[in-house]
């Protein structure tokens, strides 16, 4: 037995890091931690989203509720969301106005006067705080460095015909995906178990070259390859294996069970995290760790207080009641 391994702390190795995508390996931990981090990233890392809309005038083709819903789904730069207050916990305001602790105010006022249809987009939202703006507007500000960019046109809200007008005030608040999906910073968070693949070399050598190739080709993904020099079957990309078991079935069908053994490593996970743009993918992961830590601290604290003695007593009674 390896007596050291269980004392090791989980490790992270970054594979690919961009603003909106993060790929990393999480090692020396178990599925409960991997799953907790995944679920927190999706449902509990806070962002800002428009949560209250007051329409002053709307002669567009979309009704007020429809517009309010669309506005809610626009990703907003949320780097400060972690430190902001939830407006239901804020004691500095009544929760529906401009408040530096819990809300950001946006104004939008567009009227179509020309003969051409006018697009109203997220770029038309004017923020009370220049650092908190719709995500596409932030990209545009960065792209503009001297020359006009046509690629970032904002997110379309509604189109106006000549004479139509849209005027509104919107309040963005902090929230989490558990309350409403519009607050989730995650486009995707997935992880896979790292496969461990062992070829039985002796058994493999009983196959002809054609049989080897046939067996390799039975895998729907490119996991194995025939080494052109040694003519041996080698594993080129273990992570391409999708646990489809096709190569195992093929080996059986060829009368060579045990040709290859494939396990999933129970303590290693490969994560892919994609952000909506509200916060960077890497920040989403760091915030999730922070939130998991504070949850665990809360559990530990509750055991430290005298109050917890009673709960512990109850837990003990519960466990005895359960026949443990
Ligand atoms: Zn407030």
């Amino acid at each position: 037995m390896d007596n050291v391994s269980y004392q090791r702390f989980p490790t992270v190795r970054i594979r690919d890091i961009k603003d909106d995508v993060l790929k990393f390996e999480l090692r020396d931990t178990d599925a409960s931690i991997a799953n907790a981090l995944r679920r927190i990233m999706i449902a509990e890392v806070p962002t800002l989203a428009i949560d209250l809309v007051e329409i002053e005038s709307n002669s567009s083709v979309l009704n007020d509720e429809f517009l309010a819903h669309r506005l809610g789904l626009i990703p907003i730069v949320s780097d400060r969301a972690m430190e902001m207050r939830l407006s239901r916990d804020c004691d500095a305001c009544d929760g529906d106005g401009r408040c530096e602790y819990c809300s950001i105010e946006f104004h939008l006022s567009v009227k179509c006067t020309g003969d051409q249809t006018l697009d109203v987009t997220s770029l038309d939202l004017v923020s009370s705080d220049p650092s908190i703006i719709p995500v596409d507007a932030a990209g545009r500000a960065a792209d503009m460095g001297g020359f006009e960019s046509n690629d970032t046109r904002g997110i379309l809200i509604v189109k106006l015909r000549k004479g139509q007008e849209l005027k509104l005030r919107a309040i963005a608040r902090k929230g989490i995906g558990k309350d409403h999906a519009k607050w989730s910073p995650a486009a995707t968070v997935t992880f896979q178990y790292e496969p461990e693949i062992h070829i039985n070399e002796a058994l493999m050598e009983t196959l002809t070259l054609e049989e080897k190739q046939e067996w390799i080709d039975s895998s729907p993904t490119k996991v194995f390859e025939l080494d052109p020099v040694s003519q041996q079957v080698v594993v080129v990309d273990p992570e391409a294996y999708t646990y489809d078991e096709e190569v195992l079935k093929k080996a059986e069908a060829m009368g060579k069970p045990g040709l290859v053994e494939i396990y999933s490593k129970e303590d290693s996970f490969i994560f892919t995290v994609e952000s909506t743009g509200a916060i960077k993918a890497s920040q989403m992961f760091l915030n999730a760790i922070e939130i998991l830590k504070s949850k665990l601290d809360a559990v530990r604290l509750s055991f430290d207080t005298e109050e917890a003695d009673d709960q512990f007593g109850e837990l003990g009674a519960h466990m005895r009641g359960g026949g443990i």
Side-chain angles (χ1 to χ4, degrees):
M1 278 295 287
D2 182 358
N3 288 325
V4 186
S5 66
Y6 75 93
Q7 289 175 337
R8 254 188 255 150
F9 284 104
T11 53
V12 169
R13 196 178 78 84
I14 309 273
R15 285 192 178 178
D16 187 17
I17 184 164
K18 295 190 192 84
D19 278 359
D20 52 354
V21 184
L22 173 70
K23 285 188 180 163
F24 64 93
E25 299 156 13
L26 179 67
R27 294 186 186 281
D28 300 319
T29 186
D30 63 22
S32 67
I33 297 289
N35 234 328
L37 287 169
R38 177 179 160 274
R39 295 176 67 127
I40 291 172
M41 276 188 266
I42 293 168
E44 291 183 64
V45 170
T47 66
L48 303 171
I50 288 175
D51 196 35
L52 183 84
V53 179
E54 282 171 11
I55 308 261
E56 213 172 292
S57 105
N58 172 23
S59 52
S60 79
V61 292
L62 300 183
N63 65 40
D64 294 358
E65 290 76 14
F66 200 108
L67 280 170
H69 179 249
R70 291 193 81 136
L71 288 164
L73 296 175
I74 294 172
I76 290 171
V77 173
S78 300
D79 298 322
R80 273 171 42 205
M82 281 289 272
E83 73 215 34
M84 280 175 74
R85 297 180 190 171
L86 287 166
S87 63
R88 60 172 176 262
D89 299 337
C90 183
D91 52 13
C93 67
D94 55 7
D96 72 335
R98 188 191 292 192
C99 167
E100 60 179 312
Y101 301 108
C102 74
S103 341
I104 302 296
E105 190 176 24
F106 290 94
H107 285 272
L108 183 144
S109 176
V110 184
K111 186 170 185 172
C112 179
T113 51
D115 288 329
Q116 288 231 312
T117 313
L118 184 66
D119 290 352
V120 182
T121 71
S122 54
L123 300 177
D124 293 309
L125 285 164
V126 180
S127 172
S128 63
D129 181 335
S131 69
I132 298 181
I133 50 177
V135 165
D136 268 41
R140 186 182 158 100
D143 282 354
M144 290 274 273
F147 53 90
E148 195 76 31
S149 163
N150 290 324
D151 296 335
T152 45
R153 290 181 205 149
I155 296 161
L156 185 65
I157 299 167
V158 66
K159 293 185 180 202
L160 299 182
R161 221 175 35 221
K162 189 172 184 176
Q164 292 180 335
E165 187 186 28
L166 181 62
K167 202 168 176 190
L168 58 87
R169 185 178 86 107
I171 304 292
R173 293 172 177 151
K174 171 178 171 169
I176 57 173
K178 217 184 236 180
D179 291 333
H180 191 293
K182 69 182 176 183
W183 276 300
S184 176
T188 321
V189 182
T190 58
F191 66 78
Q192 64 172 104
Y193 292 91
E194 189 173 9
E196 199 171 324
I197 301 175
H198 298 286
I199 295 172
N200 183 334
E201 301 289 352
L203 196 55
M204 187 62 83
E205 284 318 301
T206 65
L207 266 58
T208 65
L209 207 55
E210 288 73 29
E211 284 174 325
K212 284 179 182 174
Q213 193 59 54
E214 197 186 324
W215 180 79
I216 289 168
D217 293 341
S218 73
S219 174
T221 51
K222 198 172 164 51
V223 181
F224 305 95
E225 206 176 70
L226 198 59
D227 187 297
V229 182
S230 69
Q231 300 197 331
Q232 282 188 320
V233 176
V234 289
V235 179
V236 279
D237 185 5
E239 282 164 32
Y241 184 64
T242 58
Y243 297 95
D244 49 68
E245 300 191 352
E246 290 298 327
V247 287
L248 303 179
K249 287 178 207 155
K250 183 68 181 174
E252 292 258 351
M254 292 168 89
K256 308 279 179 185
L259 188 61
V260 68
E261 286 187 326
I262 306 179
Y263 311 100
S264 59
K265 287 188 194 169
E266 300 286 311
D267 63 348
S268 298
F269 309 89
I270 303 154
F271 269 82
T272 304
V273 177
E274 286 179 37
S275 159
T276 60
I279 50 175
K280 286 183 181 170
S282 55
Q283 196 61 49
M284 202 198 308
F285 178 52
L286 293 174
N287 291 355
I289 291 172
E290 204 58 43
I291 291 164
L292 181 60
K293 265 167 66 184
S294 62
K295 280 173 172 252
L296 293 172
D297 281 347
V299 172
R300 193 177 52 197
L301 263 171
S302 79
F303 277 102
D304 285 348
T305 57
E306 277 185 82
E307 233 179 65
D309 287 343
D310 297 332
Q311 286 172 23
F312 198 72
E314 266 173 41
L315 184 66
H318 183 72
M319 285 168 84
R320 281 193 298 279
I324 296 168

